Amino acid sequence: MFELLKTDPTSKARLGRLTSSRGAVDTPVFMPVGTQGSVKALDPRELQEMGTQIILGNTYHLHIRPGLDIIRAAGGLHRFINWTAPLLTDSGGFQVFSLAKIRKIKAHGVEFRSHLDGSPLFLGPKEAMEIQRELGSDIAMVFDECPPHDAPAKEQRLAVERTICWARECRAQPRADGQMVFGIVQGGSNAALREECARAIVALEFDGYAIGGVSVGEPEDEMMKAIEFTEPFLPAHQPRYAMGLGTPAQMVELVARGVDMFDCVLPTRIARNGTAFTARGTVSIKAGFNKADFRPIEEGCECYACRNFSRAYLRHLLNVGEILGLRMLSVHNSHLYLKVMQDIRRHLAAGTFAEFRREFVANYVPSQKVLLSRSESNDE
Amino acid sequence: MFELLKTDPTSKARLGRLTSSRGAVDTPVFMPVGTQGSVKALDPRELQEMGTQIILGNTYHLHIRPGLDIIRAAGGLHRFINWTAPLLTDSGGFQVFSLAKIRKIKAHGVEFRSHLDGSPLFLGPKEAMEIQRELGSDIAMVFDECPPHDAPAKEQRLAVERTICWARECRAQPRADGQMVFGIVQGGSNAALREECARAIVALEFDGYAIGGVSVGEPEDEMMKAIEFTEPFLPAHQPRYAMGLGTPAQMVELVARGVDMFDCVLPTRIARNGTAFTARGTVSIKAGFNKADFRPIEEGCECYACRNFSRAYLRHLLNVGEILGLRMLSVHNSHLYLKVMQDIRRHLAAGTFAEFRREFVANYVPSQKVLLSRSESNDE
């Protein structure tokens, strides 16, 4: 199902293709996040036009609303949300972290109190796989335990043990027709734990492997370490997915560390705050200095927003609270994330990735605010 | 500039074409409202796809934000908002009604206190025409005084006198290249006042005539009367515009009373409350009964929302606060308003308007809630 087309001689970067029954996904790939069955502010046509090949949905959130009965009656998640290309569903494991205040971890899973009305919801490996089977996603994720980055060593070890145990249970569950299942490696920024967890998860033989326990409040160097400590133990012929990461420059660096798949809420989240991503870093479109700037968000960008509107107009829209403003920033930011991945694939194919990487990272000025916003609760 | 193509033998309905330097507008026409330079939640492509020929902007609001200097620097309102088809600008006269608490009427205009920061803003015939000249709209409206429907007779008379006096001043102002100017008739539901005002305004020889002082809290029969009392005194060879009206069935009835042009905030406003227009009346898509209804909002509707999404999915989106929900209801409702006008034009051309009118009005069940929402402050 995964074809490794080319590896970069100067780094661990890989060009590949993941084939599902609903079409192929060229890797490295960025997957826009549709937690509640909609990539925030965007419609399916806009997503297709910007080259989206696969999107995410979330087991916990979709199970609470609209509920599995509705999605089942619709004929699965694809039909419910009218998305015909591949779909990956997160298992609800991340909510063990992001909704830490309203859950209790037990031996066979996690007891949540709904973030809406406090009603009880039990999610364990069995439940998470059953829900994802009914959602009918093309890639299901195992149910894992994701501790915060500053959890004590003992807690990190316990999380790894539970994650392995639950992965085994997930592996044994039935799946939807053609559904792939990805294992998840935990272990924080502890090299030994990462290795132990990776070896155990890989031994269970999944269709791909995710690196979890990143984007949980850790500084960038710890995040990079978590990836570096895990990657050597993942099989080369299968796809690797770094969960919930990151800024454009971080994605380039993570590709160079052997990662194939990414998802991140940043593009649409910071759009709603009036901030745009560019190849040189973020810019506040809402800021006063754009008042009379009639250039597009980013010169040369081919997204719908940049082809049609000026910074001055977008600033006005954001300023007066018109929905078109945050829509257009969501279009631009998501387009940029997808474009970075297209550029990466093009340079990998042409053998010029090293140069691209050097220039991209040198030009990109990371914003502290954006790095912090990534670490907030990532539950959109 | 206005061509009367056909008149209906069974009513006062007219088929026409209004030609501006930016293209022709087929009448009867519905004009989506872009008060602050954006038709709420929609982008220009969506508007074009649903057949929009002309949209509205608002002098008062655009003057406050982003301010005339910005729009002037952009090269006019069309270029600022990227709308290449015709544009009509309201003069700010309606804000004399809708912002009654923050303005004082003087002999030469109205002193506003900005609804944002209380800063003073003087709008009179001279100022309103100057701003509209700079905005570069294809149709500018005169600055009028719009009293509430229950204003005492003396106040209604004063408003008519001021409206005539200000119209004369507006008429004398310079205009943008190719800009048409429409006069506005006031007079409430008083037949004599309406006639007096209409005769005086028509004597000033504008390019078209609007019936104002409707959609200001009056019941439907008074609104119909206001139109009926005014229409006979408007020249047949020029376009007539009923300001801020109404439900689909009301528009059909107003066409039958000789009206050619309409604008209304209802389609996008009630969309944001989770309500959709259909040919049979309004329906709450947010309501529980749509939970597992996998039909489109309206069977047979060809809008993007109905071609792609079910009521159940839209209900879910509205329910969880996803922007795509209100976007899609805004698409559907605006599409429906434009479609009703297309149907009217088709039936006028085919000579079957009487039958269409009878059936449409019989099938349309007006919702009290929607009629009331029309009468709230119409300042989007």
Side-chain angles (χ1 to χ4, degrees), chain A residues 157-232:
Chain A
R157 159 149 296 282
L158 248 172
V160 162
E161 284 169 12
R162 272 203 209 94
T163 291
I164 296 169
C165 166
W166 291 349
R168 193 173 295 119
E169 264 193 81
C170 286
R171 187 70 182 79
Q173 301 303 313
R175 347 174 141 185
D177 266 1
Q179 192 173 45
M180 295 180 252
V181 178
F182 280 21
I184 304 179
V185 178
Q186 290 290 344
S189 45
N190 180 313
L193 263 185
R194 282 280 173 187
E195 177 178 348
E196 179 186 334
C197 191
R199 287 189 187 277
I201 297 292
V202 169
L204 294 171
E205 297 190 347
F206 288 99
D207 302 304
Y209 298 92
I211 302 166
V214 285
S215 193
V216 289
E218 77 282 7
E220 186 179 276
D221 62 330
E222 271 193 48
M223 180 256 280
M224 291 293 174
K225 270 188 217 160
I227 304 288
E228 289 162 7
F229 291 157
T230 310
E231 183 274 334

Side-chain angles (χ1 to χ4, degrees), chain B residues 26 38 67 90 101 110 147 186 194 199 225 289 291 356 366:
Chain B
D26 299 309
S38 167
D90 201 357
K101 285 177 189 161
V110 178
Q186 291 289 345
R194 282 280 172 186
R199 287 188 187 277
K225 269 189 220 160
F289 59 78
K291 223 170 113 169
F356 170 78

Side-chain angles (χ1 to χ4, degrees), chain B residues 40 47 55 66 101 112 161 230 253 289 311 331 352 368 370 376:
Chain B
K40 287 198 184 296
L47 286 166
I55 63 170
K101 285 177 189 161
F112 290 95
E161 283 168 12
T230 308
E253 280 304 311
F289 59 78
R311 289 181 172 210
V331 164
T352 50
Q368 208 45 43
V370 165
E376 288 162 20

Side-chain angles (χ1 to χ4, degrees), chain A residues 285 287-294 311-313 315, chain B residues 66 69-70 80:
Chain A
I285 298 301
F289 60 78
N290 284 315
K291 224 170 112 169
D293 188 336
F294 299 106
R311 287 182 173 210
Y313 178 57
R315 189 231 170 214
Chain B
D69 51 337
I70 304 293
F80 183 60

